[in-house]
Amino acid sequence: MRVVIAGGHGKIALILERLLVEAGHEPIAIIRNPDHRDDVDATGAAAVVLDLEDASVDEVGQVLKNADAAVFAAGAGPGSTAERKFTVDRDAAILLADAAEAAGVPRLIVISAIATDRFDPDSQDIFQLYLRAKSEADASIRSRDLDWTIVRPGSLTNDPGVGRIHASDVVPGGGRIPRADVAAIIASLLETGAASRTQFEVVSGEDSIADALAGLA
Protein backbone atom coordinates (compact mmCIF):
# COMPACT_ATOMS: atom_id res chain seq x y z
CA MET A 1 0.00 0.00 0.00
CA ARG A 2 0.98 3.58 -0.57
CA VAL A 3 0.04 5.42 2.64
CA VAL A 4 0.30 9.20 3.05
CA ILE A 5 0.77 10.34 6.66
CA ALA A 6 0.01 13.96 7.53
CA GLY A 7 2.11 15.03 10.49
CA GLY A 8 4.81 12.60 9.43
CA HIS A 9 7.37 13.71 12.01
CA GLY A 10 5.12 13.12 15.01
CA LYS A 11 6.09 10.46 17.54
CA ILE A 12 3.28 8.10 16.55
CA ALA A 13 3.88 8.75 12.85
CA LEU A 14 7.59 7.89 13.00
CA ILE A 15 6.80 4.55 14.67
CA LEU A 16 4.03 3.88 12.16
CA GLU A 17 6.35 4.62 9.25
CA ARG A 18 8.83 2.00 10.47
CA LEU A 19 6.05 -0.56 10.90
CA LEU A 20 4.74 0.06 7.40
CA VAL A 21 8.18 -0.14 5.81
CA GLU A 22 8.91 -3.39 7.66
CA ALA A 23 5.63 -4.80 6.31
CA GLY A 24 6.57 -3.91 2.74
CA HIS A 25 4.38 -0.83 2.34
CA GLU A 26 5.26 2.63 1.00
CA PRO A 27 4.68 5.39 3.57
CA ILE A 28 4.86 9.02 2.45
CA ALA A 29 5.32 11.49 5.31
CA ILE A 30 4.05 15.06 5.00
CA ILE A 31 6.27 17.28 7.16
CA ARG A 32 6.28 21.03 7.73
CA ASN A 33 9.91 21.50 8.71
CA PRO A 34 12.55 20.41 6.16
CA ASP A 35 14.99 19.89 9.05
CA HIS A 36 12.91 16.82 10.00
CA ARG A 37 13.58 15.05 6.72
CA ASP A 38 16.51 13.03 8.10
CA ASP A 39 14.35 11.57 10.88
CA VAL A 40 11.76 10.47 8.35
CA ASP A 41 14.41 9.09 6.00
CA ALA A 42 15.74 6.96 8.87
CA THR A 43 12.39 5.14 9.06
CA GLY A 44 12.54 4.23 5.38
CA ALA A 45 9.60 6.49 4.52
CA ALA A 46 9.71 9.24 1.91
CA ALA A 47 9.29 12.83 3.12
CA VAL A 48 7.31 15.58 1.40
CA VAL A 49 7.67 19.11 2.77
CA LEU A 50 4.28 20.84 2.87
CA ASP A 51 2.74 23.14 5.48
CA LEU A 52 -0.84 22.00 5.99
CA GLU A 53 -1.75 25.35 7.53
CA ASP A 54 -1.02 27.08 4.21
CA ALA A 55 -1.56 24.33 1.64
CA SER A 56 -4.46 24.08 -0.78
CA VAL A 57 -6.62 21.04 -1.49
CA ASP A 58 -4.88 20.70 -4.86
CA GLU A 59 -1.42 20.76 -3.28
CA VAL A 60 -2.32 18.07 -0.76
CA GLY A 61 -4.12 16.15 -3.47
CA GLN A 62 -0.93 15.97 -5.51
CA VAL A 63 0.79 14.21 -2.60
CA LEU A 64 -2.17 11.86 -2.26
CA LYS A 65 -2.17 10.91 -5.93
CA ASN A 66 -2.27 7.11 -6.32
CA ALA A 67 -2.35 6.59 -2.53
CA ASP A 68 -4.32 3.69 -1.08
CA ALA A 69 -4.88 5.41 2.25
CA ALA A 70 -4.22 8.58 4.23
CA VAL A 71 -3.54 8.96 7.94
CA PHE A 72 -3.99 12.18 9.91
CA ALA A 73 -1.37 12.18 12.65
CA ALA A 74 -0.71 15.92 12.82
CA GLY A 75 -1.21 18.13 15.84
CA ALA A 76 -0.35 21.61 17.02
CA GLY A 77 1.27 20.07 20.09
CA PRO A 78 1.68 21.16 23.72
CA GLY A 79 2.27 24.86 24.22
CA SER A 80 0.64 25.88 20.95
CA THR A 81 -1.84 28.72 20.78
CA ALA A 82 -5.61 28.37 20.80
CA GLU A 83 -5.63 29.52 17.18
CA ARG A 84 -3.35 26.65 16.11
CA LYS A 85 -5.58 24.12 17.85
CA PHE A 86 -8.10 25.02 15.16
CA THR A 87 -5.80 25.61 12.19
CA VAL A 88 -3.95 22.31 12.74
CA ASP A 89 -6.05 19.93 14.84
CA ARG A 90 -9.29 20.84 13.09
CA ASP A 91 -8.66 22.55 9.76
CA ALA A 92 -5.70 20.43 8.63
CA ALA A 93 -7.70 17.24 9.28
CA ILE A 94 -10.58 18.61 7.22
CA LEU A 95 -8.13 19.64 4.50
CA LEU A 96 -6.74 16.11 4.33
CA ALA A 97 -10.25 14.70 4.03
CA ASP A 98 -11.11 17.20 1.27
CA ALA A 99 -7.93 16.27 -0.59
CA ALA A 100 -8.55 12.54 -0.13
CA GLU A 101 -11.97 12.90 -1.69
CA ALA A 102 -10.60 14.99 -4.55
CA ALA A 103 -7.77 12.54 -5.21
CA GLY A 104 -9.96 9.45 -4.97
CA VAL A 105 -8.21 8.02 -1.91
CA PRO A 106 -10.71 5.62 -0.37
CA ARG A 107 -9.30 5.04 3.14
CA LEU A 108 -8.80 7.72 5.81
CA ILE A 109 -7.68 7.10 9.38
CA VAL A 110 -7.67 9.97 11.86
CA ILE A 111 -5.86 10.01 15.20
CA SER A 112 -8.13 12.01 17.48
CA ALA A 113 -8.33 12.01 21.30
CA ILE A 114 -10.35 10.39 24.04
CA ALA A 115 -13.34 12.34 25.42
CA THR A 116 -13.22 14.65 22.41
CA ASP A 117 -16.99 15.11 22.23
CA ARG A 118 -17.24 15.84 25.94
CA PHE A 119 -15.65 19.30 25.75
CA ASP A 120 -17.05 22.28 27.64
CA PRO A 121 -18.51 24.61 24.97
CA ASP A 122 -18.39 27.60 27.33
CA SER A 123 -14.75 27.20 28.33
CA GLN A 124 -11.79 29.05 26.88
CA ASP A 125 -9.36 26.70 28.57
CA ILE A 126 -6.74 25.64 26.03
CA PHE A 127 -7.37 21.93 26.55
CA GLN A 128 -11.11 22.35 26.15
CA LEU A 129 -10.49 24.26 22.92
CA TYR A 130 -8.26 21.41 21.75
CA LEU A 131 -11.04 18.89 22.42
CA ARG A 132 -13.52 21.14 20.61
CA ALA A 133 -11.21 21.40 17.58
CA LYS A 134 -10.81 17.62 17.46
CA SER A 135 -14.55 17.08 17.90
CA GLU A 136 -15.39 19.42 15.03
CA ALA A 137 -12.81 17.73 12.79
CA ASP A 138 -14.17 14.30 13.64
CA ALA A 139 -17.72 15.42 12.84
CA SER A 140 -16.55 16.55 9.41
CA ILE A 141 -14.80 13.22 8.80
CA ARG A 142 -17.90 11.24 9.75
CA SER A 143 -19.91 13.12 7.13
CA ARG A 144 -17.69 11.89 4.28
CA ASP A 145 -18.38 9.13 1.82
CA LEU A 146 -15.01 7.61 2.66
CA ASP A 147 -13.85 4.42 4.34
CA TRP A 148 -12.92 6.35 7.48
CA THR A 149 -11.87 5.29 10.97
CA ILE A 150 -11.42 7.70 13.89
CA VAL A 151 -9.08 6.46 16.63
CA ARG A 152 -9.42 8.23 19.99
CA PRO A 153 -6.53 7.18 22.25
CA GLY A 154 -6.26 7.94 25.94
CA SER A 155 -3.32 9.78 27.50
CA LEU A 156 -0.25 9.00 25.42
CA THR A 157 2.98 7.65 26.91
CA ASN A 158 6.39 6.80 25.54
CA ASP A 159 6.40 3.39 27.22
CA PRO A 160 7.19 0.35 25.06
CA GLY A 161 4.16 -1.06 23.31
CA VAL A 162 2.63 -4.20 24.80
CA GLY A 163 0.04 -4.98 22.13
CA ARG A 164 -2.82 -5.26 24.62
CA ILE A 165 -5.64 -2.75 24.49
CA HIS A 166 -9.23 -1.99 25.44
CA ALA A 167 -11.26 -0.42 22.62
CA SER A 168 -14.89 0.67 22.78
CA ASP A 169 -17.21 3.43 21.58
CA VAL A 170 -16.61 5.09 24.95
CA VAL A 171 -14.05 4.14 27.60
CA PRO A 172 -15.42 5.47 30.91
CA GLY A 173 -12.74 6.92 33.15
CA GLY A 174 -10.18 7.18 30.39
CA GLY A 175 -6.72 5.66 30.72
CA ARG A 176 -3.28 5.63 29.17
CA ILE A 177 -1.74 3.97 26.13
CA PRO A 178 1.78 3.87 24.66
CA ARG A 179 2.27 5.70 21.39
CA ALA A 180 3.82 2.50 20.04
CA ASP A 181 0.53 0.68 20.55
CA VAL A 182 -1.40 3.45 18.80
CA ALA A 183 0.95 3.13 15.84
CA ALA A 184 0.41 -0.64 15.84
CA ILE A 185 -3.36 -0.08 15.88
CA ILE A 186 -3.13 2.20 12.84
CA ALA A 187 -0.96 -0.31 10.99
CA SER A 188 -3.46 -3.07 11.75
CA LEU A 189 -6.38 -0.94 10.59
CA LEU A 190 -4.60 -0.24 7.32
CA GLU A 191 -3.77 -3.88 6.66
CA THR A 192 -7.07 -5.45 7.73
CA GLY A 193 -9.62 -2.76 6.88
CA ALA A 194 -11.16 -3.26 10.34
CA ALA A 195 -13.42 -0.69 12.01
CA SER A 196 -14.61 0.84 8.74
CA ARG A 197 -16.75 3.96 9.28
CA THR A 198 -16.27 3.58 13.03
CA GLN A 199 -14.88 5.79 15.76
CA PHE A 200 -13.65 4.36 19.04
CA GLU A 201 -11.77 5.22 22.20
CA VAL A 202 -8.79 3.08 23.15
CA VAL A 203 -6.53 2.60 26.17
CA SER A 204 -4.23 -0.13 27.38
CA GLY A 205 -6.09 -3.29 28.30
CA GLU A 206 -6.20 -7.07 28.07
CA ASP A 207 -7.24 -7.75 24.47
CA SER A 208 -4.87 -8.27 21.58
CA ILE A 209 -4.99 -5.48 19.00
CA ALA A 210 -6.42 -7.83 16.36
CA ASP A 211 -9.18 -9.13 18.64
CA ALA A 212 -10.07 -5.68 19.95
CA LEU A 213 -10.36 -4.19 16.47
CA ALA A 214 -12.29 -7.17 15.11
CA GLY A 215 -14.78 -6.65 17.91
CA LEU A 216 -15.53 -3.15 16.65
CA ALA A 217 -16.60 -4.28 13.17
Side-chain angles (χ1 to χ4, degrees), residues 18-77:
R18 289 186 185 278
L19 292 175
L20 292 176
V21 169
E22 289 169 1
H25 303 300
E26 181 188 356
I28 311 296
I30 298 177
I31 58 174
R32 181 177 60 87
N33 187 342
D35 292 340
H36 294 159
R37 185 185 293 274
D38 287 348
D39 292 336
V40 171
D41 289 346
T43 71
V48 174
V49 179
L50 186 65
D51 189 342
L52 294 177
E53 289 182 273
D54 294 323
S56 67
V57 171
D58 287 344
E59 288 172 323
V60 180
Q62 285 300 310
V63 183
L64 289 168
K65 187 176 181 181
N66 298 321
D68 299 291
V71 176
F72 185 78

Coordinates of all heavy atoms in Angstrom, one line a residue, residues 18-77:
R18 N 7.9 3.2 10.4 CA 8.8 2.0 10.5 C 8.0 0.7 10.3 O 8.5 -0.2 9.6 CB 9.6 2.0 11.8 CG 10.6 3.1 11.9 CD 11.4 2.9 13.2 NE 12.4 4.0 13.4 CZ 13.6 4.1 12.9 NH1 14.0 3.1 12.1 NH2 14.4 5.1 13.1
L19 N 6.9 0.6 11.0 CA 6.1 -0.6 10.9 C 5.6 -0.8 9.5 O 5.6 -2.0 9.0 CB 4.8 -0.4 11.8 CG 5.1 -0.4 13.3 CD1 3.8 -0.1 14.1 CD2 5.7 -1.7 13.8
L20 N 5.2 0.2 8.8 CA 4.7 0.1 7.4 C 5.9 -0.4 6.5 O 5.7 -1.2 5.6 CB 4.1 1.4 6.9 CG 2.8 1.7 7.6 CD1 2.3 3.1 7.1 CD2 1.7 0.7 7.4
V21 N 7.0 0.2 6.6 CA 8.2 -0.1 5.8 C 8.5 -1.6 6.1 O 8.8 -2.4 5.1 CB 9.4 0.8 6.1 CG1 10.6 0.2 5.4 CG2 9.1 2.2 5.6
E22 N 8.6 -2.0 7.3 CA 8.9 -3.4 7.7 C 7.9 -4.4 7.1 O 8.3 -5.5 6.7 CB 9.0 -3.6 9.2 CG 10.2 -2.9 9.8 CD 10.1 -2.8 11.3 OE1 9.1 -3.3 11.9 OE2 11.0 -2.3 12.0
A23 N 6.7 -3.9 6.9 CA 5.6 -4.8 6.3 C 5.6 -4.7 4.8 O 4.7 -5.4 4.2 CB 4.3 -4.4 6.9
G24 N 6.5 -4.0 4.2 CA 6.6 -3.9 2.7 C 5.7 -2.8 2.1 O 5.5 -2.9 0.9
H25 N 5.2 -1.9 2.9 CA 4.4 -0.8 2.3 C 5.2 0.4 2.0 O 6.4 0.5 2.3 CB 3.3 -0.5 3.3 CG 2.4 -1.7 3.7 ND1 1.7 -2.4 2.7 CD2 2.2 -2.3 4.9 CE1 1.0 -3.4 3.3 NE2 1.3 -3.3 4.6
E26 N 4.6 1.4 1.4 CA 5.3 2.6 1.0 C 4.7 3.8 1.7 O 3.7 4.5 1.2 CB 5.1 2.8 -0.5 CG 5.8 4.0 -1.1 CD 5.5 4.3 -2.5 OE1 4.8 3.5 -3.1 OE2 5.9 5.3 -3.1
P27 N 5.2 4.2 2.9 CA 4.7 5.4 3.6 C 5.3 6.7 3.0 O 6.5 6.7 2.7 CB 5.1 5.2 5.0 CG 6.3 4.3 5.0 CD 6.1 3.4 3.7
I28 N 4.4 7.7 2.9 CA 4.9 9.0 2.4 C 4.5 10.0 3.6 O 3.4 10.1 4.0 CB 4.1 9.5 1.2 CG1 4.2 8.4 0.1 CG2 4.7 10.8 0.7 CD1 5.5 8.1 -0.4
A29 N 5.5 10.6 4.1 CA 5.3 11.5 5.3 C 5.3 13.0 4.9 O 6.2 13.5 4.3 CB 6.5 11.3 6.3
I30 N 4.1 13.6 5.2 CA 4.1 15.1 5.0 C 4.6 15.7 6.2 O 4.1 15.5 7.4 CB 2.6 15.5 4.8 CG1 2.0 14.9 3.5 CG2 2.5 17.0 4.7 CD1 0.6 15.2 3.2
I31 N 5.6 16.6 6.1 CA 6.3 17.3 7.2 C 6.3 18.8 6.9 O 6.3 19.2 5.7 CB 7.7 16.8 7.4 CG1 8.6 16.9 6.2 CG2 7.7 15.3 7.9 CD1 10.1 16.6 6.4
R32 N 6.3 19.6 7.9 CA 6.3 21.0 7.7 C 7.7 21.6 7.7 O 8.0 22.5 7.0 CB 5.5 21.7 8.9 CG 5.4 23.2 8.8 CD 4.5 23.7 9.9 NE 5.0 23.4 11.2 CZ 5.9 24.1 11.9 NH1 6.4 25.2 11.4 NH2 6.3 23.7 13.1
N33 N 8.6 21.0 8.5 CA 9.9 21.5 8.7 C 10.9 20.6 7.9 O 11.1 19.5 8.2 CB 10.3 21.5 10.2 CG 11.6 22.1 10.5 OD1 12.4 22.3 9.6 ND2 11.8 22.5 11.8
P34 N 11.6 21.2 6.9 CA 12.6 20.4 6.2 C 13.7 19.8 7.0 O 14.3 18.8 6.6 CB 13.1 21.4 5.1 CG 12.8 22.8 5.6 CD 11.5 22.6 6.5
D35 N 13.9 20.4 8.2 CA 15.0 19.9 9.1 C 14.6 18.5 9.6 O 15.5 17.8 10.1 CB 15.3 20.8 10.2 CG 15.9 22.2 9.8 OD1 16.4 22.2 8.7 OD2 15.8 23.2 10.5
H36 N 13.4 18.1 9.5 CA 12.9 16.8 10.0 C 13.0 15.7 9.0 O 12.7 14.6 9.3 CB 11.5 16.9 10.5 CG 11.3 17.8 11.6 ND1 10.0 18.4 12.0 CD2 12.1 18.3 12.6 CE1 10.2 19.1 13.1 NE2 11.4 19.1 13.4
R37 N 13.5 16.0 7.8 CA 13.6 15.0 6.7 C 14.5 13.9 7.1 O 14.1 12.7 6.8 CB 14.1 15.7 5.4 CG 14.1 14.8 4.2 CD 14.7 15.4 3.0 NE 13.9 16.5 2.5 CZ 12.9 16.4 1.7 NH1 12.6 15.2 1.2 NH2 12.3 17.5 1.3
D38 N 15.6 14.1 7.8 CA 16.5 13.0 8.1 C 15.8 12.0 9.0 O 16.1 10.8 8.9 CB 17.8 13.6 8.7 CG 18.7 14.3 7.8 OD1 18.5 14.1 6.5 OD2 19.6 15.0 8.2
D39 N 15.0 12.5 10.0 CA 14.4 11.6 10.9 C 13.4 10.7 10.1 O 13.2 9.5 10.4 CB 13.6 12.3 12.0 CG 14.5 13.1 12.9 OD1 15.7 12.7 13.1 OD2 14.1 14.1 13.5
V40 N 12.7 11.3 9.2 CA 11.8 10.5 8.3 C 12.5 9.5 7.5 O 12.2 8.3 7.4 CB 10.9 11.4 7.5 CG1 10.1 10.6 6.5 CG2 9.9 12.2 8.4
D41 N 13.6 10.0 6.9 CA 14.4 9.1 6.0 C 14.9 7.9 6.8 O 15.0 6.8 6.2 CB 15.6 9.9 5.4 CG 15.2 10.9 4.4 OD1 14.1 10.8 3.9 OD2 16.1 11.7 4.1
A42 N 15.2 8.1 8.1 CA 15.7 7.0 8.9 C 14.7 5.9 9.1 O 15.1 4.7 9.4 CB 16.2 7.5 10.2
T43 N 13.4 6.2 8.9 CA 12.4 5.1 9.1 C 12.2 4.3 7.8 O 11.6 3.3 7.8 CB 11.0 5.8 9.4 OG1 10.5 6.5 8.3 CG2 11.1 6.7 10.6
G44 N 12.7 4.9 6.7 CA 12.5 4.2 5.4 C 11.4 4.9 4.6 O 11.2 4.5 3.4
A45 N 10.7 5.8 5.2 CA 9.6 6.5 4.5 C 10.2 7.6 3.6 O 11.3 8.0 3.8 CB 8.6 7.1 5.5
A46 N 9.3 8.1 2.7 CA 9.7 9.2 1.9 C 9.1 10.5 2.5 O 7.9 10.5 2.8 CB 9.3 9.0 0.5
A47 N 9.8 11.6 2.6 CA 9.3 12.8 3.1 C 8.9 13.8 2.0 O 9.6 13.9 1.0 CB 10.3 13.5 4.0
V48 N 7.8 14.5 2.3 CA 7.3 15.6 1.4 C 7.1 16.8 2.3 O 6.4 16.7 3.3 CB 6.0 15.2 0.7 CG1 5.5 16.4 -0.1 CG2 6.2 14.0 -0.2
V49 N 7.8 17.9 2.0 CA 7.7 19.1 2.8 C 6.5 19.9 2.3 O 6.4 20.4 1.1 CB 9.0 19.9 2.7 CG1 8.8 21.2 3.5 CG2 10.2 19.1 3.2
L50 N 5.5 20.1 3.2 CA 4.3 20.8 2.9 C 3.6 21.3 4.2 O 3.4 20.5 5.1 CB 3.3 19.9 2.1 CG 2.0 20.6 1.6 CD1 2.4 21.6 0.5 CD2 1.1 19.5 1.0
D51 N 3.4 22.6 4.3 CA 2.7 23.1 5.5 C 1.2 23.1 5.3 O 0.6 23.8 4.5 CB 3.2 24.6 5.7 CG 2.7 25.2 7.0 OD1 1.8 24.6 7.6 OD2 3.3 26.2 7.4
L52 N 0.6 22.2 6.1 CA -0.8 22.0 6.0 C -1.7 23.2 6.4 O -2.8 23.3 6.1 CB -1.3 20.8 6.8 CG -0.7 19.4 6.3 CD1 -1.1 18.3 7.3 CD2 -1.2 19.1 4.9
E53 N -1.0 24.1 7.1 CA -1.8 25.4 7.5 C -1.9 26.3 6.4 O -2.7 27.2 6.4 CB -1.1 26.0 8.7 CG -1.3 25.2 10.0 CD -0.6 25.9 11.2 OE1 0.6 25.7 11.4 OE2 -1.3 26.7 11.9
D54 N -1.0 26.2 5.3 CA -1.0 27.1 4.2 C -1.4 26.4 2.9 O -1.6 27.0 1.9 CB 0.4 27.7 4.0 CG 0.7 28.7 5.2 OD1 -0.2 29.3 5.7 OD2 1.9 28.7 5.6
A55 N -1.4 25.1 2.9 CA -1.6 24.3 1.6 C -3.0 24.4 1.1 O -4.0 24.5 1.9 CB -1.1 22.9 1.8
S56 N -3.1 24.2 -0.2 CA -4.5 24.1 -0.8 C -4.9 22.6 -0.9 O -4.0 21.7 -0.8 CB -4.4 24.7 -2.2 OG -3.6 24.0 -3.0
V57 N -6.1 22.4 -1.2 CA -6.6 21.0 -1.5 C -5.9 20.4 -2.7 O -5.5 19.3 -2.6 CB -8.1 21.1 -1.8 CG1 -8.6 19.7 -2.3 CG2 -8.9 21.4 -0.5
D58 N -5.6 21.2 -3.7 CA -4.9 20.7 -4.9 C -3.5 20.3 -4.5 O -3.0 19.2 -5.0 CB -4.8 21.8 -6.0 CG -6.2 21.9 -6.7 OD1 -7.0 21.0 -6.5 OD2 -6.4 22.9 -7.4
E59 N -2.8 21.1 -3.7 CA -1.4 20.8 -3.3 C -1.4 19.5 -2.5 O -0.5 18.6 -2.7 CB -0.8 21.9 -2.5 CG -0.5 23.1 -3.3 CD -0.1 24.3 -2.5 OE1 -0.6 24.5 -1.4 OE2 0.8 25.1 -2.9
V60 N -2.3 19.3 -1.5 CA -2.3 18.1 -0.8 C -2.7 16.9 -1.6 O -2.2 15.8 -1.5 CB -3.3 18.2 0.5 CG1 -3.3 16.9 1.3 CG2 -2.8 19.4 1.3
G61 N -3.7 17.2 -2.5 CA -4.1 16.1 -3.5 C -3.0 15.6 -4.3 O -3.0 14.4 -4.7
Q62 N -2.1 16.4 -4.7 CA -0.9 16.0 -5.5 C -0.1 14.9 -4.7 O 0.4 14.0 -5.3 CB -0.1 17.2 -5.9 CG -0.7 18.0 -7.0 CD -0.9 17.2 -8.3 OE1 0.0 16.5 -8.8 NE2 -2.1 17.3 -8.9
V63 N 0.1 15.2 -3.4 CA 0.8 14.2 -2.6 C 0.0 12.9 -2.5 O 0.6 11.8 -2.4 CB 1.1 14.8 -1.2 CG1 1.9 13.8 -0.4 CG2 1.8 16.1 -1.3
L64 N -1.3 13.0 -2.4 CA -2.2 11.9 -2.3 C -2.4 11.1 -3.5 O -3.0 10.0 -3.5 CB -3.5 12.3 -1.7 CG -3.6 12.8 -0.3 CD1 -4.9 13.5 0.1 CD2 -3.3 11.6 0.7
K65 N -1.9 11.6 -4.7 CA -2.2 10.9 -5.9 C -1.7 9.5 -5.9 O -0.6 9.2 -5.5 CB -1.5 11.7 -7.0 CG -1.8 11.2 -8.4 CD -1.1 12.1 -9.5 CE -1.5 11.6 -10.9 NZ -0.8 12.5 -11.9
N66 N -2.6 8.5 -6.3 CA -2.3 7.1 -6.3 C -2.1 6.5 -4.9 O -1.6 5.3 -4.8 CB -1.0 6.8 -7.2 CG -1.2 7.3 -8.6 OD1 -2.3 7.1 -9.2 ND2 -0.2 7.8 -9.2
A67 N -2.5 7.2 -3.9 CA -2.4 6.6 -2.5 C -3.5 5.6 -2.3 O -4.6 5.8 -2.8 CB -2.3 7.7 -1.5
D68 N -3.3 4.6 -1.5 CA -4.3 3.7 -1.1 C -5.0 4.2 0.2 O -6.2 3.8 0.5 CB -3.7 2.3 -0.9 CG -3.1 1.7 -2.1 OD1 -3.8 1.4 -3.1 OD2 -1.8 1.6 -2.2
A69 N -4.3 5.0 1.0 CA -4.9 5.4 2.3 C -4.1 6.7 2.7 O -3.0 6.9 2.3 CB -4.8 4.3 3.3
A70 N -4.8 7.4 3.6 CA -4.2 8.6 4.2 C -4.4 8.5 5.7 O -5.5 8.0 6.2 CB -4.8 9.9 3.7
V71 N -3.5 9.0 6.5 CA -3.5 9.0 7.9 C -3.3 10.4 8.4 O -2.3 11.0 8.0 CB -2.5 8.0 8.6 CG1 -2.5 8.1 10.1 CG2 -2.7 6.6 8.1
F72 N -4.2 10.9 9.3 CA -4.0 12.2 9.9 C -3.4 12.0 11.3 O -4.0 11.5 12.2 CB -5.3 13.0 10.0 CG -5.1 14.4 10.6 CD1 -4.6 15.4 9.7 CD2 -5.3 14.7 11.9 CE1 -4.3 16.6 10.2 CE2 -5.1 15.9 12.4 CZ -4.6 16.9 11.6
A73 N -2.1 12.3 11.4 CA -1.4 12.2 12.6 C -0.8 13.5 13.1 O 0.1 13.5 13.9 CB -0.3 11.1 12.5
A74 N -1.2 14.6 12.5 CA -0.7 15.9 12.8 C -1.3 16.5 14.1 O -2.4 16.1 14.5 CB -0.9 16.9 11.6
G75 N -0.7 17.5 14.7 CA -1.2 18.1 15.8 C -0.4 19.4 16.2 O 0.8 19.4 15.9
A76 N -1.1 20.4 16.7 CA -0.4 21.6 17.0 C 0.6 21.4 18.1 O 1.7 22.0 18.2 CB -1.4 22.7 17.4
G77 N 0.3 20.4 19.0 CA 1.3 20.1 20.1 C 1.1 20.9 21.3 O 0.5 22.0 21.3

